[in-house]
Amino acid sequence: MDYFTVEIAGRAVASFRSENHEEATHFFEAEDFRDDLTVLESEGKPLWDRKAPLSLRKATTEEASEVEHAYEFDDDPERTIEDEFVVFLVPVADLTDEDEDIED
């Protein structure tokens, strides 16, 4: 497994592991993943505004360690090493959760 980091406008925001660079690129370019980046916010702003440049690179040792640490403490008994698992390197909140609270 290799570790990869997603940067938005040069800021590392998320890391994950993948079999290889080709699979990591496929995940990174997936519309579902990119949509997720628009509904998650950090410090009161969406992570991605669909305008800022996105990039994918090999994760640093520290970023890879964050992913490993998250796997160790994941409490989903059905998750396997093959599942996609993204670790955000910045605090995030889901904007769609806030919308649901407003409707209740």
Side-chain angles (χ1 to χ4, degrees):
M1 285 283 175
D2 288 325
Y3 296 85
F4 298 89
T5 294
V6 175
E7 291 185 344
I8 299 174
R11 178 182 180 206
V13 297
S15 291
F16 62 97
R17 63 183 176 190
S18 189
E19 282 294 322
N20 55 49
H21 192 271
E22 182 179 340
E23 286 187 22
T25 300
H26 179 72
F27 175 76
F28 169 73
E29 292 177 347
E31 195 61 34
D32 287 346
F33 176 65
R34 290 175 180 227
D35 286 345
D36 287 347
L37 294 177
T38 67
V39 297
L40 295 172
E41 77 172 16
S42 182
E43 300 172 351
K45 297 182 286 188
L47 277 178
W48 186 45
D49 60 6
R50 293 198 180 267
K51 296 175 189 166
L54 288 175
S55 60
L56 179 68
R57 62 167 171 77
K58 284 274 201 167
T60 65
T61 303
E62 185 175 276
E63 293 161 347
S65 178
E66 288 290 326
V67 175
E68 281 300 313
H69 184 73
Y71 269 102
E72 289 174 21
F73 290 98
D74 180 34
D75 59 0
D76 184 349
E78 295 183 21
R79 188 178 324 275
T80 70
I81 198 166
E82 307 303 323
D83 292 333
E84 293 172 351
F85 191 85
V86 177
V87 175
F88 286 92
L89 305 172
V90 297
V92 295
D94 187 337
L95 294 174
T96 58
D97 286 344
E98 291 175 18
D99 291 343
E100 290 172 7
D101 291 343
I102 292 169
E103 292 176 9
D104 290 340

